[in-house]
Amino acid sequence: MTHPAEGTAPASPGSHPSGAGGVYRPGLTAAEVAERVARGQVNDVPVRSSRSVREIVRANVFTRFNAIIGVMFGIILVVGPIQDGLFGLVIVANTAIGIIQELRAKKTLDSLALIGEARPQVRRDGAAVQVATGEIVLDDTVLLGIGDKAVVDGTVTEADGLEIDESLLTGEPDPVHKHPGDHVMSGSFVVAGAGAFTATKVGREAYAAKLAEEASRFTLVKSELRSGIDQILRIITYLLIPTALGLIVSQLAVQRHDWQEAVRRMVAGIVPMVPEGLVLLTSVAFAIGVIRLGRQQCLVQELPAIEGLARVDTVCLDKTGTLTEGGMDLIDLRPIGDAAKSRIAEALGAIGAADTRPNPSMQAVIDAYGPPEEGRWRLLEAIPFSSARKWSGVQLLEPGGTEGSWLLGAPDVLLPDGHPALAEVDELGAKGLRVLLLGRSPLPLDAPDPAAELEPLALLVLQQRVREDAADTLRYFRSQDVRAKVISGDSAVSVGAVAAHLGLPGAETATDARKLPADPEQLAEVAERTAVFGRVTPQQKRALVGALQSKGHTVAMTGDGVNDVLALKDADIGVAMGTGSDATRAVAQIVLLDDRFATLPSVVAEGRRVIGNIERVAGLFLVKTVYSVLLAMLVVFTQVPYPFLPRHSTVLSSLTIGIPAFFLALAPNNERARTGFVRRVLRLAVPGGLICGTATFVAYALARADHDTALKADTSVATLTLFITAIWVLAIVARPYTWWRLLLIGTMSGAFALVLVVPWLSDFFQLQLVGWRDPLIGVAIAAVAGCLLEITSRLFVERKPKEEAHAE
């Protein structure tokens, strides 16, 4: 975030102040703008906050698993009956739900992106006006101030201490001083000074647009969740072909006179192996996460950020604008020595009048003193604030005809060590107040060190407005085992006082970043044990984020000023404020459009809900895959008819996995995500699937041993056994229980009971239990399998924290 002294003297939008280099241009006329619009010379790069409708439809329709299920459905249409093709409805349902949810997410993203879009200033007909990025035309005069991003390419025409950071484009970390005639690349941003440039390349011809055309596309990269699911799906794909071949050969050998029945049972063995709903639910969970966060004015610019938030264990916060509100009040002016208060007030008015883009601290000065009497003070030159200097300055022609350089900035930077005023500064800072020093130097601003002969004249005492929700938000992070660290450019004493007022643990031992070690290992040790840092430079913010990451932490960084950009880029998750600079919004994965710090707990909770629930339901889907593979292998080796028809697989999958998983995927979940997604899922899926498959096959084999029953009765016993074991797995996954989860399990069990007892349903699904012995044996086998499932879940599955139960 910007330092309080960041109020500088940039070029006035409508005039060319003394000291600024270049040639003033009044800008294009309305007629010239209209002419260029007619020629198509407009910055018409489309906003790509999400995939296009065409891409969404194509991505949801043409999937690997839709192809597999579609082929199986086509086979059933040939061999019949239609009841065995019910699984084909899965394609329609999955595709429709996926498309609808992603279109909803797209609508949310696009509308939020429009709200958060930068509106640069251009000069037209001699006046500065704000326009949408897409309304800039060729040869427009674009104005630049601190934090502004160049949205098109151009040539500098005016420069007043203009420094531009091009690191996002070139990788060079140091800002570049720009002079009239120098080139400006779109995507770079202003870190100091002010100026203007003429647009020479707009639209897709601009440098950044060529890079952004690919970079801004909707992507789901760098996601452990996605990569883990893809890894699992690749393995399943490799298993499908040999299993299908084995099944068709074995079923043809068993059903010698009925190839259609053999094909139906082969399809029944293949379809359950495909966890098609897992991919759907992952997309739906991400999409609903975007929609939920969008309702809270939170723009998710990269979807993997939702998952990344679930893994965050450290949040780095800047003080100004995050813990405190943007507004400030000047509550005291304390002259130093014999300085006349009236003269100081006039000088402050002149300094404030020179700043056309005042930040909150400078605005407080302007509000307190206003402009001086016209003609008494004249601006000769200005040096803008920079994070490295920690001060800004103006050279003024004073009322008596003398010239002097007036500097406004951090007292501990402008004053030598041991100066008596520093004790007063520390005393005020300890109360959470912000203090600036005003001094006058006889040296010109272009001297090697204008502050070398500085005469301190006054201390400006400003009071920040602490956000009402800041304390509650910090308490939330502490309760969720997420450590908060305050990293600010303000004085360590002042930052520590605000943090202590908000109840941040460790705030009483704030560290001055100028004393931080340069060695990366030593810095990591300090970063690990320290909660509050003051006087942090942009490079140090970046270094502290890297130091925390080197200790294995997943770091989120919040910020709104240009000095936060480097740290935001390097953090695992960058969170920018909506009213922050264009540069911070450009590099952040998440933008809080309404600047509400209190939104962060909701953002973190949404990330945890998404990844925690996907991990939960992934176990359900993969249990089905494992028992399907096992049953297929047992059938191939024993040369018996496959126990199920496709319609049986449809009812089993729907009641024990598909419908329950949809509800579980959207439930609350506050557990912080950890690495090892695939390992944890397989800990449930492999033993659970083996137990379910073995129990089902044993019950089926025992039923077949009773030669008085038909294949239909044997299949019914196997279906009953598999349903009980699968619903038991659901009961394990659904823990800890809540009323709605118990109702969900009960409803699925009741639905299956209806299939068994309602005549037309049992006929439709070809399920008919004959006698009592075989069904009771199946139930007994399922009960034993359930006990084994309980044992293995306690041995292999990592338990969820107790806090999750309370959160729900």
Side-chain angles (χ1 to χ4, degrees):
M1 299 195 184
T2 54
H3 186 270
E6 207 168 284
T8 59
S12 171
S15 62
H16 184 58
S18 176
V23 179
Y24 171 79
R25 294 175 182 269
L28 299 176
T29 64
E32 289 172 329
V33 171
E35 179 186 348
R36 283 160 176 75
V37 170
R39 292 203 299 256
Q41 296 173 329
V42 184
N43 191 46
D44 61 347
V45 178
V47 176
R48 295 298 302 272
S49 62
S50 58
R51 291 192 280 193
S52 67
V53 174
R54 181 179 178 182
E55 289 170 332
I56 289 171
V57 172
R58 185 171 63 240
N60 281 278
V61 172
F62 299 105
T63 68
R64 178 188 309 175
F65 295 104
N66 275 3
I68 295 171
I69 300 296
V71 169
M72 296 295 105
F73 180 67
I75 292 172
I76 290 299
L77 288 180
V78 173
V79 301
I82 194 62
Q83 295 98 304
D84 286 326
L86 289 176
F87 65 86
L89 297 176
V90 171
I91 298 177
V92 179
N94 283 0
T95 304
I97 293 172
I99 291 173
I100 291 169
Q101 290 293 357
E102 198 167 329
L103 286 176
R104 288 181 64 201
K106 172 184 169 57
K107 182 179 178 182
T108 302
L109 280 171
D110 289 348
S111 62
L112 290 177
L114 189 62
I115 294 171
E117 184 184 12
R119 292 185 63 83
Q121 277 193 330
V122 299
R123 190 184 294 138
R124 292 178 178 172
D125 291 316
V129 293
Q130 275 195 333
V131 298
T133 301
E135 294 175 0
I136 293 177
V137 300
L138 191 67
D139 299 325
D140 249 333
T141 298
V142 184
L143 306 181
L144 293 174
I146 291 177
D148 289 346
K149 184 175 71 172
V151 294
V152 294
D153 292 0
T155 302
V156 176
T157 56
E158 302 168 33
D160 186 10
L162 185 63
E163 297 180 30
I164 291 184
D165 189 318
E166 299 177 343
S167 60
L168 296 177
L169 303 173
T170 65
E172 294 293 333
D174 296 327
V176 180
H177 287 271
K178 294 291 183 179
H179 305 283
D182 288 347
H183 188 57
V184 174
M185 290 189 291
S186 52
S188 58
F189 55 91
V190 180
V191 294
F197 70 92
T198 299
T200 57
K201 290 183 179 179
V202 296
R204 292 171 176 82
E205 294 300 314
Y207 181 79
K210 295 176 181 178
L211 299 178
E213 185 68 22
E214 196 63 36
S216 63
R217 291 181 186 271
F218 175 101
T219 56
L220 286 172
V221 294
K222 296 181 181 178
S223 161
E224 185 188 351
L225 187 64
R226 282 282 177 169
S227 60
I229 290 175
D230 287 342
Q231 180 183 347
I232 293 168
L233 296 183
R234 279 196 301 271
I235 297 171
I236 293 171
T237 304
Y238 296 145
L239 291 173
L240 279 174
I241 296 176
T243 305
L245 291 175
L247 273 176
I248 190 64
V249 170
S250 68
Q251 295 308 292
L252 286 173
V254 173
Q255 305 284 350
R256 293 181 183 277
H257 304 295
D258 192 349
W259 66 270
Q260 294 166 312
E261 183 71 9
V263 170
R264 278 195 293 271
R265 297 203 175 251
M266 179 274 293
V267 171
I270 293 299
V271 169
M273 292 176 58
V274 182
E276 70 286 337
L278 179 57
V279 179
L280 166 74
L281 279 179
T282 304
S283 300
V284 169
F286 274 128
I288 291 179
V290 168
I291 294 166
R292 285 179 171 176
L293 292 176
R295 289 172 183 160
Q296 300 185 57
Q297 292 296 295
C298 176
L299 170 60
V300 180
Q301 303 200 106
E302 297 177 24
L303 287 191
I306 294 181
E307 176 186 341
L309 285 165
R311 305 186 190 282
V312 165
D313 62 7
T314 304
V315 177
C316 294
L317 311 165
D318 194 65
K319 178 171 70 73
T320 309
T322 302
L323 298 180
T324 59
E325 294 180 355
M328 301 186 69
D329 300 309
L330 180 61
I331 61 172
D332 196 8
L333 178 65
R334 301 188 178 188
I336 297 175
D338 298 329
K341 199 168 184 177
S342 59
R343 183 166 181 259
I344 293 171
E346 273 198 274
L348 286 171
I351 294 170
D355 193 345
T356 58
R357 294 189 181 187
N359 68 354
S361 57
M362 184 57 70
Q363 186 62 52
V365 173
I366 295 171
D367 293 341
Y369 297 105
E373 184 181 334
E374 190 171 350
R376 282 179 57 79
W377 299 76
R378 181 182 169 196
L379 175 65
L380 300 176
E381 191 175 351
I383 286 184
F385 173 84
S386 77
S387 298
R389 283 193 302 268
K390 300 290 185 188
W391 56 264
S392 61
V394 294
Q395 191 167 340
L396 298 171
L397 181 62
E398 299 163 346
T402 57
E403 291 185 14
S405 296
W406 295 74
L407 307 184
L408 183 65
D412 51 347
V413 173
L414 292 173
L415 294 176
D417 290 340
H419 192 283
L422 289 177
E424 187 177 3
V425 169
D426 290 341
E427 181 183 340
L428 292 167
K431 299 176 182 177
L433 299 171
R434 173 168 285 188
V435 184
L436 300 179
L437 175 77
L438 176 68
R440 182 185 182 282
S441 172
L443 300 177
L445 287 179
D446 57 3
D449 183 9
E453 299 181 21
L454 187 74
E455 176 191 1
L457 296 176
L459 295 177
L460 282 72
V461 184
L462 299 105
Q463 186 175 49
Q464 294 175 298
R465 302 165 191 164
V466 177
R467 290 185 181 271
E468 294 180 0
D469 48 30
D472 291 337
T473 305
L474 291 177
R475 277 195 293 272
Y476 167 82
F477 285 134
R478 189 161 62 249
S479 70
Q480 296 298 315
D481 197 27
V482 176
R483 297 195 301 171
K485 294 182 180 291
V486 182
I487 302 176
S488 174
D490 206 351
S491 76
V493 176
S494 176
V495 179
V498 172
H501 174 71
L502 295 172
L504 180 69
E508 63 280 355
T509 55
T511 297
D512 191 316
R514 291 172 296 185
K515 301 175 183 177
L516 288 175
D519 179 71
E521 292 186 7
Q522 295 179 7
L523 180 64
E525 292 297 329
V526 175
E528 180 78 12
R529 65 174 184 265
T530 307
V532 178
F533 297 88
R535 289 287 174 249
V536 186
T537 65
Q539 289 74 21
Q540 285 178 316
K541 285 191 178 186
R542 184 184 203 176
L544 284 168
V545 168
L548 290 167
Q549 290 170 327
S550 72
K551 286 290 188 179
H553 295 294
T554 302
V555 181
M557 175 75 196
T558 69
D560 69 349
V562 172
N563 57 337
D564 298 317
V565 169
L566 298 177
L568 284 170
K569 280 200 306 180
D570 285 4
D572 296 287
I573 298 294
V575 181
M577 298 296 171
T579 57
S581 68
D582 295 345
T584 54
R585 295 201 304 270
V587 301
Q589 288 88 12
I590 291 173
V591 180
L592 304 180
L593 294 173
D594 58 0
D595 287 358
R596 288 185 64 246
F597 179 47
T599 305
L600 277 181
S602 300
V603 175
V604 172
E606 190 61 34
R608 291 183 174 186
R609 185 195 64 78
V610 169
I611 191 170
N613 288 336
I614 291 302
E615 184 172 315
R616 183 194 296 273
V617 300
L620 278 179
F621 283 101
L622 295 182
V623 164
K624 181 188 73 167
T625 298
V626 172
Y627 72 60
S628 299
V629 172
L630 177 61
L631 284 173
M633 293 173 61
L634 291 172
V635 163
V636 170
F637 291 138
T638 58
Q639 294 291 295
V640 297
Y642 191 79
F644 304 117
L645 290 170
R647 68 194 74 173
H648 303 136
S649 300
T650 299
V651 72
L652 286 168
S653 297
S654 300
L655 296 180
T656 63
I657 299 167
I659 297 172
F662 185 81
F663 288 99
L664 291 175
L666 304 181
N669 191 327
N670 284 332
E671 183 193 3
R672 189 173 71 220
R674 300 151 291 162
T675 56
F677 164 75
V678 175
R679 183 188 71 247
R680 285 194 302 278
V681 168
L682 293 181
R683 281 181 173 178
L684 170 68
V686 173
L690 292 176
I691 291 170
C692 290
T694 302
T696 301
F697 193 79
V698 169
Y700 176 59
L702 291 176
R704 279 184 56 77
D706 185 354
H707 298 292
D708 293 334
T709 59
L711 179 58
K712 180 178 179 180
D714 301 339
T715 292
S716 300
V717 171
T719 305
L720 175 64
T721 305
L722 182 53
F723 177 82
I724 295 173
T725 54
I727 208 75
W728 206 307
V729 172
L730 173 62
I732 291 173
V733 168
R735 293 170 185 162
Y737 294 134
T738 58
W739 68 267
W740 68 265
R741 288 180 174 174
L742 293 173
L743 179 63
L744 178 66
I745 296 170
T747 302
M748 296 302 101
S749 302
F752 184 73
L754 287 176
V755 171
L756 291 178
V757 301
V758 176
W760 71 268
L761 284 175
S762 60
D763 290 342
F764 182 85
F765 287 105
Q766 281 196 19
L767 289 174
Q768 182 178 355
L769 296 173
V770 177
W772 292 99
R773 189 189 68 174
D774 290 342
L776 287 176
I777 290 174
V779 171
I781 292 172
V784 173
C787 294
L788 292 174
L789 287 170
E790 292 289 347
I791 293 171
T792 55
S793 70
R794 284 165 172 75
L795 288 176
F796 300 114
V797 180
E798 297 177 45
R799 307 309 303 160
K800 306 291 184 186
K802 293 180 180 179
E803 290 83 355
E804 185 184 337
H806 300 308
E808 301 187 32

